[in-house]
């Protein structure tokens, strides 16, 4: 089942359960799906699974950043809302890699690309972003790649 139909069904369930936070998060996802489908050049076509993951990842990143901002401003009430919506969005994302699995996959990518040092960060990040998209946060990937490339034991 496509993400759009899954979200529609979840919206109906949230409405019946009168779950306002879930309903808000799901409506936000649906809104982004509709915007992506009607964007210039999309021709109203359904989103590909990769585009759906990219859309959800972007939504999750926005919630994470907003929660961090609210935490710095000591607005725990708004931070809790963002974190609750983030948890709902993450339900529709692929399972995130553990740090150990991420390091293992990145070491493999570094060896395949033939990266030897920090100057090869761009090459590794390009491949890693394609292969690990939706399975790990981009910031985390970047940090681990930077650490591995600065280490000569790769």
């Amino acid at each position: 089942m496509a993400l759009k139909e899954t979200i529609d069904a979840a919206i109906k369930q949230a409405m019946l359960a009168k779950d306002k936070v879930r309903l808000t998060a799901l409506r936000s996802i649906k809104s982004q799906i509709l915007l992506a489908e009607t964007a210039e050049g999309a021709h109203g076509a359904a989103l590909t699974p990769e585009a759906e993951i990219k859309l959800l990842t972007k939504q999750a990143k926005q919630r994470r950043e907003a929660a961090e901002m609210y935490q710095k401003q000591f607005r725990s009430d708004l931070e809790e809302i963002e974190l609750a919506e983030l948890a709902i969005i993450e339900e529709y994302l692929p399972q995130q890699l553990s740090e150990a699995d991420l390091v293992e996959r990145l070491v493999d990518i570094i060896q395949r690309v033939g990266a030897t040092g920090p100057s090869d960060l761009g090459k590794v990040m390009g491949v890693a972003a394609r292969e690990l998209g939706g399975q790990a946060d981009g910031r985390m990937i970047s940090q681990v790649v930077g650490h591995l490339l600065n280490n000569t034991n790769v």
Side-chain angles (χ1 to χ4, degrees):
M1 184 187 302
L3 179 64
K4 186 175 179 180
E5 287 86 30
T6 305
I7 296 297
D8 283 338
I11 286 174
K12 290 175 188 172
Q13 290 175 344
M15 289 171 79
L16 290 172
K18 296 182 179 10
D19 187 345
K20 290 182 181 181
V21 174
R22 183 176 267 305
L23 188 58
T24 302
L26 294 171
R27 283 183 172 160
S28 173
I29 294 170
K30 183 175 180 178
S31 169
Q32 292 302 312
I33 291 171
L34 292 173
L35 284 172
E37 287 178 346
T38 58
E40 194 171 321
H43 306 294
L47 296 177
T48 63
E50 295 82 21
E52 292 173 349
I53 290 172
K54 188 174 181 180
L55 183 139
L56 289 171
T57 303
K58 182 178 177 182
Q59 290 274 303
K61 180 181 177 186
Q62 288 173 343
R63 296 302 189 291
R64 213 173 281 115
E65 289 173 352
E68 288 174 17
M69 181 183 66
Y70 290 138
Q71 182 182 23
K72 289 177 185 173
Q73 296 174 352
F74 303 105
R75 294 294 311 267
S76 61
D77 55 330
L78 297 175
E79 178 189 8
E80 288 175 15
I81 293 170
E82 293 295 334
L83 291 175
E85 289 184 10
L86 172 62
I88 293 164
I89 292 168
E90 287 177 339
E91 291 174 17
Y92 297 95
L93 280 169
Q95 181 68 35
Q96 298 292 295
L97 293 172
S98 68
E99 191 168 347
D101 290 338
L102 178 62
V103 169
E104 183 180 314
R105 300 269 306 267
L106 288 172
V107 166
D108 179 53
I109 291 171
I110 289 170
Q111 290 171 348
R112 277 189 291 142
V113 170
T116 56
S119 62
D120 296 323
L121 180 71
K123 282 197 297 189
V124 175
M125 284 301 296
V127 175
R130 256 192 322 277
E131 291 185 16
L132 304 176
Q135 296 177 359
D137 180 50
R139 190 183 315 166
M140 178 66 126
I141 293 172
S142 179
Q143 288 174 348
V144 173
V145 168
H147 177 73
L148 290 172
L149 290 178
N150 285 325
N151 248 348
T152 56
N153 301 336
V154 176

